[in-house]
Structure formats: C-alpha cells, structure tokens
Amino acid sequence: MSRLLEVKGLETRFFTQDGVVHAVNGINYHLDEGETLAIVGESGCGKSVGVMSLLRLIPMPPGKVTAGQVWFGTGDDRKDLLKLSDDEIRQVRGNRIAMIFQDPMTSLNPVLTIGFQISEALMLHLGMDKEKARKRAVELLELVGIPRAAERLDDYPHQFSGGMRQRVMIAMGLSCNPQLLIADEPTTALDVTIQAQIADLVKRLRDEIGMAIIWITHDLGVVAGLADRVIVMYAGFIVEEAQVKELYGNPRHPYTIGLLGSLPRLDATREHRLSSIEGLPPDLIDLPKGCPFYARCNYRIEICATDNPRLEPVAPGHKVACHREVTRETPYTVEIEPAEVVA
Amino acid sequence: MTTFIVRRLLWMIPTLFAVALVTFIIMRSAPGGPWDTSAERRQVDASTQKSLNAYYGLDKPLWRQFVAYTIGDVNKKGTFVCGAICGNLGPSYRTRGRTVQDILFSPPADRPLWYSRFGYSIRLGLIALAFALIVGIPVGIIAALKHNSFADYVSLVIATIGISVPSFVMAIFMIVIFARWLGLVPVVPRTWDTITPWILPALVLGFGTMAFTARLTRTSMLEVIRQDYVRTARAKGLKERAVILRHMLKNALIPVVTILGPSLAGLVTGSFIIETMFGFPGMGRAYVQSIGQRDYSMIMGTTLIYAFLVALANLSVDLIYSFVDPRIRLE
Ligand SMILES: Nc1ncnc2c1ncn2[C@@H]1O[C@H](COP(=O)(O)OP(=O)(O)OP(=O)(O)O)[C@@H](O)[C@H]1O
Ligand SMILES: [Mg+2]
C-alpha cells in the first residue's frame, strides 16, 4: 500500500479577541491508501480543526493554518494541499477528499432537495448533466440503504430521520468516489443502534470501494471494530499513535490509559470499576509550558511540569509523547483530586 | 392549502368588522361633523343640516347607523340597501354624487385602473418596495460578507438613518435638496405621467423599508454564514459564488420574503403623509382630507380598504413562507 496522505507539522491557530487559540499544535501523521485511521480525543482537543485544516475549510478569519505541509496523493500527483490555489483545492474537495460532518440535522441545506444536494457534486466534479446526476444519485441512495430511493430524491432533509440524513451525507460524500473520506464524528449525534448501523455501513462501503478513511470520534468503543490505526489527540497535540489492537492492549500514554479506563468492558471484574479522568483540559489560549496533560496526570514527575515531551516510537508503529515508560501496571505517583464542582 | 386560504379569508370578516367598529367609535366621538362650516365658507343653516342628516340617515341612532353602514338598512322606499359587506362603501358626504368606492377605484375617463387613487397608491408602494429590495438586499449581503469592514459600517449608518429618521423629515430634506437647490425635480409636479416626479416620493417612502431590509438581510446572512450546511457546501468543492447564491441566499432571504407582504401593505397604507407632502393623487391624500372634513363614509371606507390590504398581506406572508421554506406546511 502506498502513502496517500502525509501531514507534517500542521499548526492551526484562531486569532480571537480573547487571545490566540492554539487549536492544533504541530501534528504529524500519515495514512496509506485504503487504510482507516481513527482520531480520538475529548471535546475541544482539535480533532475537527485538524482535519478541516487539510482541506482549508477553517473559517478565515479568525482561523489560520500557520505552519505545516499536507502531502496528498500518490506518485506524480502528490501535492501539498496547503500550497494549492483556491481553484485547485476546490478540485480536491468533495472529489478526491470528501467530508461528512457530525450533525446530520444541520449539515444538509434545509431548503434544497436531497436529490439536488447529491447531484451538485456530480455535476461539478464529474461533469454529469442533470439527468445522469439524478440517476446516479438514486444509485447512491440505494447504496447507502435508503428505501424507495427514486421517490425520495425530491424530498427535503426535514423529511428524513437523523440516521437517514447521515446516510444521505455519506451518499453525498461517496458520490465522486473519493480516495479519502473524512468522517467527523458521524455517529455522535445519533442514538446507539443507529450509530452501529452507520459504522457498519461505512465499513461495508469501504470494503466495496476501497477508499481510505479518517474517522474522528471521542468514543474509543466505536473505533475498535472499524479502524486499523488510532491517533489520540490531547490539547492540539498527538499524544499517542498505534495499531488499534496495540493501543487497546498496551496503551502507553496516561491519557490513553485514562480514556480506556473510562470505557465499559464486558469482561470487567467487579473490582475493575469504570474510572474517569479527573480535571479539565488546559486552556488552548494559555497552554502550559510543560506537558499539556500534566495537571490531570496520575503518573507525572518533575520534568513533566517544564518540558513538553515529543512523540517518540516505543515499539514498531507505536509512538507516545511521554517522559515516562508508563503502562497500565505502573503505580500512580500522585492522586488527582476530583475537580470541585462549581455550583 | 385551499381550505387554509378559505378559512383565513373568512376570518377576515370578523376582523374587518372589529376594525369598522373601532373606527366608527373613534370617528363619532371626535368633535364636529360633515356639515361643519368654517368662517370663510358658505354657511349651512340649521334646517339644511337637518334635511341633510335625514337624507344620509345621520339622524338615526348610532348603532343603527353602524349597522346600516356595515351590513345595510331599509331605505325610505322600503328596499334593502346592502352596506360595506357587499362592497358598498357609501356616498361621500363631501364629494357630492360620488360613492367612496367610486372616488377610490374609478380612474379618470379613458384611463386604466392604475390611474385611480387606489392605483396611484399601489404603484407608488410597488416602486418604493422595489427600490427597498433592489438596494436593501445587496447592501445587507455585502455588509454580512464583509462583516465589520468599512462597507459594513457605511451600511449601518445608512440603515440607522433610514430606520430612525421619520419619513416626513426626510421628505422635507429631499424636497429642499433635490427640488429647491438642485432643481432636478419639480416641487409640485403638474403631471404624474412621467417618471421624474415619482422618484422623490418613492425614495422617501421606501427608505425606511430599504434600511430595514438591509438590516434584516445582514442579520440573517450572518446567521446563515456559520451554518453547518454552508461548510458542507464548501467541502463539496463549490465555488464561493455558488455557495453564496445557491446555499446561503435562499435561506437568508426567507425572513426577507416573509416581510414583503406587510412591507407593501405598510408602504401603500403608510404613504398618506408622503402623498400629502408631495401632492400625490393617491388614496392616502384623499384619506387625510376626508378626516379633516369628517367625511364619515369616506373615512370608514378607506380604513376598511387599508385593513383589508393589511389582512391580505398577512395571509400572503403565510403563503409565501410555505412556498420558500419547505419545512412549513399549511393546514
Ligand atoms: N472559529 C473558531 N474560533 C475560535 N476558536 C475556535 C474556532 N473553531 C474552533 N475553535 C477552537 O479550537 C479548538 C478545537 O476545536 P475542535 O472543533 O477541533 O474540537 P474537536 O476536537 O473537534 O471537539 P468536538 O469533539 O467537540 O468536536 C477548540 O478549543 C475550539 O474552541
Ligand atoms: Mg469536532
């Protein structure tokens, strides 16, 4: 499999009235053709901003990609997306890289029919005429499992349920056979049974079409059955990266250990209680000098307060940004008090 | 849909009835009457007044007069004469020999309907509305797209002036500047058959609506700009122009479209000050005159026409709403 995407030193900031928001802080990762990469991390850690930066969809102002390279493509048409002209990046959007978003309720235009919204990209990128695009739209809706697809083409988004709308979004995303599908928390807004259906649908489509996927979520549970590799983000940094099995079996970053500890397990013994990570992530306007996880870390030592560790390999394909060699068995150095609840 | 319209039209009857009642009470509690005379006019003596009152039924009890006007009454020959409910707005007390509907809706000989007083007012209202939209919507869009820029502030200043300066004040300024100083348009035009005399009244009349439209468009555009579906549209690779025209505008104009009806109604019914100032031969000026003259049937009739227009405008809001926004369904 050859390299499809290579992100180097990506850095995105928001210049707001309150100060500079350090949303993404120099992240590096890569993705092979047909591979599925999950990006996990809690709310506000820069997952969405990180992937929207790839397609330069950051609202500007206040946002700006301040550094980095985004190499996309194989062989000769490998290009740095951040250097493309506006016209060129538009050729990539929706065509070679498609994106689907978190909230299917608001991500579709309420006053346009779904048939039109799907056809739009087909006409734009594949040069289809109206008739052809409509036909293809029906096929796509059938592909994502919408019953009576032909009849529903002229319906408006409000006539669909949440799960069905997300299927429409997926159909829209797949319409131009993208090489990469970026799914930004596509199931978070849906209820649990629908979440599983959507995840299964994407898995099936990936196997049929063979595109690469970046799947963003803050739910490690969804990731297990879907992803090949996982990136864990915290406060705009990548803190751990590993194959999915490795990450679940041998998490090495205190934050990942915390995340996995807060996940319900079927084989859990009674003593093995669900734990949660105490405290709050740091303010992205005023990042601490040392490790961003310092304040919440049970394993911290002195150096962590002053020095932010770099992401280093600890095993083949497994990288961690931590000063210590932490595993699940490592004893705590400090107990973090639960954050006081402010009434 | 049809039942919705029919129901709303039927609802207009009690509404108009209530409007008629309130107008009647206020009108009749104002001092004076249609036969009042001023010193410089020919006197109407008491016996003439009495016979006039008898002729027009003004000697009957008030409730009877109200019923006679709105629904109808039996005349001296014993036949039933239907009132406003049949479209009979009564004889004018001051313009002898003409009925109210005749004064408002009959054009001068050999002229089409839009040369009637009603037609003139509708035309002025439409031109003012066109001006308000053609200027207001683009100004609002640009202000939103160039949020917090110089253009945005300019539009804010214009809008603030438009919303806060009363139209008659603006009319005076306009007349002084364009008619007196620059001499571009006549102060009191001799004819309204050319375009030039319409410009100032339409501009003054439409300015407030223009300012309001610009503000409304800007606000709803700013709302739409940060919607998720706009991001979806960009992620599809659409050109910025397509994103704005196809995905933002239709959503942003929903609130604007819905105020079209009331705006037009407001412009047509709210033009009496402007009409009077510019000597415009429309319904509004006739209305103002009739109030001064206590021309009871004329006051009642014109008020009912205005109320009907407003009610119609409100109905149109709901219809247009369901048309532009597929989420709204009428039943
Ligand atoms: N337009 C903006 N202006 C200022 N700050 C922004 C803007 N958009 C995002 N941010 C900031 O960037 C940071 C990262 O946001 P991002 O949306 O990427 O989080 P996320 O990891 O996707 O979270 P979630 O799971 O809630 O979607 C947040 O702290 C957010 O406050
Ligand atoms: Mg997000």
Side-chain angles (χ1 to χ4, degrees):
Chain A
M1 283 289 183
S2 55
R3 241 343 101 80
L4 179 66
L5 176 75
E6 191 144 18
V7 177
K8 291 182 180 166
L10 185 70
E11 196 180 272
T12 306
R13 310 245 177 284
F14 290 95
F15 300 87
T16 67
Q17 282 175 345
D18 303 328
V20 181
V21 181
H22 299 249
V24 176
N25 301 303
I27 58 176
N28 300 288
Y29 63 92
H30 65 88
L31 183 68
D32 289 337
E33 278 183 306
E35 191 185 19
T36 302
L37 174 73
I39 302 181
V40 298
E42 65 201 317
S43 192
C45 70
K47 306 181 297 291
S48 302
V49 172
V51 290
M52 292 209 290
S53 303
L54 307 184
L55 282 175
R56 305 196 343 223
L57 287 171
I58 298 295
M60 198 165 40
K64 191 166 194 284
V65 178
T66 43
Q69 296 162 9
V70 178
W71 293 97
F72 176 77
T74 47
D76 285 345
D77 63 13
R78 201 170 119 92
K79 292 209 178 78
D80 181 357
L81 298 183
L82 300 182
K83 297 245 159 55
L84 295 184
S85 71
D86 285 353
D87 267 337
E88 286 168 324
I89 189 81
R90 275 198 290 267
Q91 302 282 315
V92 177
R93 289 180 192 159
N95 186 17
R96 298 179 57 198
I97 302 180
M99 237 179 132
I100 53 182
F101 298 98
Q102 175 163 349
D103 194 349
M105 295 302 187
T106 56
S107 295
L108 288 165
N109 195 323
V111 300
L112 300 173
T113 63
I114 58 134
F116 177 82
Q117 295 189 58
I118 298 174
S119 309
E120 212 175 11
L122 294 168
M123 295 193 278
L124 178 74
H125 294 301
L126 305 184
M128 290 187 183
D129 60 29
K130 229 180 184 159
E131 270 313 298
K132 255 186 156 166
R134 271 180 77 88
K135 265 201 201 113
R136 177 81 184 121
V138 174
E139 287 169 20
L140 284 161
L141 288 178
E142 276 163 359
L143 186 72
V144 297
I146 294 206
R148 299 183 295 114
E151 294 163 41
R152 308 229 50 187
L153 219 50
D154 293 318
D155 282 355
Y156 290 90
H158 72 274
Q159 290 161 296
F160 290 76
S161 68
M164 285 295 158
R165 279 189 228 189
Q166 199 56 290
R167 285 169 193 263
V168 172
M169 284 296 289
I170 293 171
M172 232 162 80
L174 297 181
S175 58
C176 299
N177 292 318
Q179 287 166 285
L180 171 60
L181 177 74
I182 300 174
D184 186 357
E185 305 198 36
T187 60
T188 308
L190 307 173
D191 57 53
V192 184
T193 47
I194 313 272
Q195 281 186 14
Q197 287 175 13
I198 295 288
D200 283 343
L201 172 69
V202 172
K203 223 182 333 184
R204 196 192 85 215
L205 293 171
R206 175 193 59 191
D207 297 341
E208 276 173 31
I209 301 169
M211 74 254 176
I213 295 177
I214 295 180
W215 184 280
I216 296 180
T217 176
H218 50 234
D219 180 359
L220 269 171
V222 181
V223 169
L226 194 72
D228 301 313
R229 206 147 46 83
V230 184
I231 283 175
V232 181
M233 277 187 80
Y234 188 79
F237 295 94
I238 293 179
V239 294
E240 183 158 9
E241 175 190 332
Q243 296 294 320
V244 83
K245 274 210 189 96
E246 168 81 2
L247 191 95
Y248 280 74
N250 184 22
R252 301 296 297 273
H253 194 280
Y255 177 62
T256 318
I257 294 173
L259 276 184
L260 289 170
S262 60
L263 205 65
R265 291 176 66 119
L266 277 180
D267 58 348
T269 54
R270 287 190 122 226
E271 306 90 81
H272 187 111
R273 292 261 226 67
L274 279 183
S275 58
S276 61
I277 308 172
E278 301 299 346
L280 292 170
D283 182 1
L284 294 180
I285 292 178
D286 192 19
L287 274 178
K289 185 150 57 89
C291 174
F293 193 59
Y294 177 79
R296 302 168 78 184
C297 184
N298 294 109
Y299 306 90
R300 69 192 180 198
I301 51 175
E302 222 169 287
I303 185 173
C304 304
T306 51
D307 190 55
N308 188 3
R310 294 162 54 90
L311 192 65
E312 314 266 13
V314 289
H318 193 163
K319 295 180 194 162
V320 178
C322 185
H323 287 299
R324 300 188 59 200
E325 300 250 318
V326 180
T327 64
R328 276 203 177 111
E329 276 68 48
T330 311
Y332 288 178
T333 53
V334 282
E335 277 296 334
I336 306 291
E337 295 295 319
E340 271 179 47
V341 180
V342 184
Chain B
M1 184 78 158
T2 325
T3 48
F4 173 81
I5 297 175
V6 170
R7 209 175 54 208
R8 287 288 297 267
L9 286 173
L10 286 177
W11 258 109
M12 280 185 194
I13 295 170
T15 312
L16 291 177
F17 205 78
V19 169
L21 186 60
V22 172
T23 314
F24 188 81
I25 292 170
I26 295 174
M27 180 177 80
R28 297 312 287 267
S29 46
W35 327 124
D36 283 352
T37 50
S38 51
E40 63 271 14
R41 292 250 180 98
R42 197 155 47 85
Q43 300 289 313
V44 178
D45 61 57
S47 67
T48 318
Q49 279 198 27
K50 204 162 171 221
S51 58
L52 279 169
N53 279 343
Y55 179 74
Y56 286 112
L58 290 173
D59 53 350
K60 290 182 182 157
L62 279 177
W63 67 267
R64 183 95 187 257
Q65 290 183 38
F66 179 71
V67 173
Y69 188 83
T70 49
I71 296 169
D73 202 356
V74 182
N75 71 3
K76 288 188 196 74
K77 281 177 225 138
T79 47
F80 180 77
V81 181
C82 191
I85 203 161
C86 302
N88 173 19
L89 302 178
S92 165
Y93 297 163
R94 283 300 179 116
T95 317
R96 308 269 148 81
R98 294 188 75 186
T99 59
V100 172
Q101 61 267 35
D102 185 39
I103 293 174
L104 294 179
F105 295 104
S106 296
D110 312 327
R111 286 290 182 90
L113 177 68
W114 57 85
Y115 281 90
S116 66
R117 285 184 171 275
F118 175 77
Y120 267 103
S121 289
I122 291 281
R123 269 150 79 204
L124 185 63
L126 282 174
I127 296 172
L129 183 66
F131 157 71
L133 297 181
I134 290 170
V135 178
I137 291 175
V139 166
I141 292 173
I142 292 167
L145 292 178
K146 308 244 182 263
H147 188 35
N148 286 338
S149 70
F150 181 69
D152 192 11
Y153 294 129
V154 170
S155 89
L156 179 67
V157 170
I158 294 175
T160 311
I161 293 173
I163 290 169
S164 51
V165 177
S167 59
F168 59 89
V169 175
M170 190 166 293
I172 292 170
F173 274 100
M174 292 285 198
I175 291 173
V176 169
I177 295 171
F178 291 102
R180 276 294 303 196
W181 293 351
L182 301 178
L184 293 176
V185 288
V187 180
V188 179
R190 221 160 284 134
T191 166
W192 293 86
D193 288 350
T194 56
I195 294 174
T196 3
W198 291 77
I199 297 174
L200 277 195
L203 206 80
V204 173
L205 183 60
F207 207 88
T209 310
M210 185 275 280
F212 183 64
T213 309
R215 278 340 259 174
L216 192 63
T217 309
R218 177 182 177 274
T219 314
S220 83
M221 239 352 229
L222 283 178
E223 178 70 28
V224 168
I225 280 176
R226 45 184 194 76
Q227 291 297 317
D228 291 346
Y229 55 77
V230 173
R231 188 180 55 189
T232 308
R234 290 217 175 85
K236 265 187 218 172
L238 293 178
K239 285 213 169 62
E240 201 51 31
R241 203 181 35 168
V243 175
I244 295 171
L245 293 181
R246 255 185 259 157
H247 287 261
M248 301 213 277
L249 211 51
K250 197 170 172 204
N251 282 287
L253 288 186
I254 289 175
V256 179
V257 169
T258 56
I259 61 147
L260 284 186
S263 295
L264 182 60
L267 291 172
V268 172
T269 58
S271 62
F272 46 85
I273 298 172
I274 305 295
E275 289 191 10
T276 308
M277 291 186 81
F278 285 93
F280 186 82
M283 221 168 34
R285 191 159 63 113
Y287 188 45
V288 173
Q289 270 169 13
S290 70
I291 293 172
Q293 296 172 337
R294 299 289 186 276
D295 190 341
Y296 290 150
S297 48
M298 185 73 186
I299 297 172
M300 288 291 285
T302 317
T303 310
L304 283 177
I305 298 289
Y306 279 155
F308 180 68
L309 287 177
V310 173
L312 216 54
N314 286 332
L315 173 58
S316 80
V317 174
D318 295 337
L319 294 181
I320 293 175
Y321 219 138
S322 74
F323 186 68
V324 291
D325 189 338
R327 285 163 297 187
I328 310 283
R329 308 206 97 206
L330 302 176
E331 54 231 27

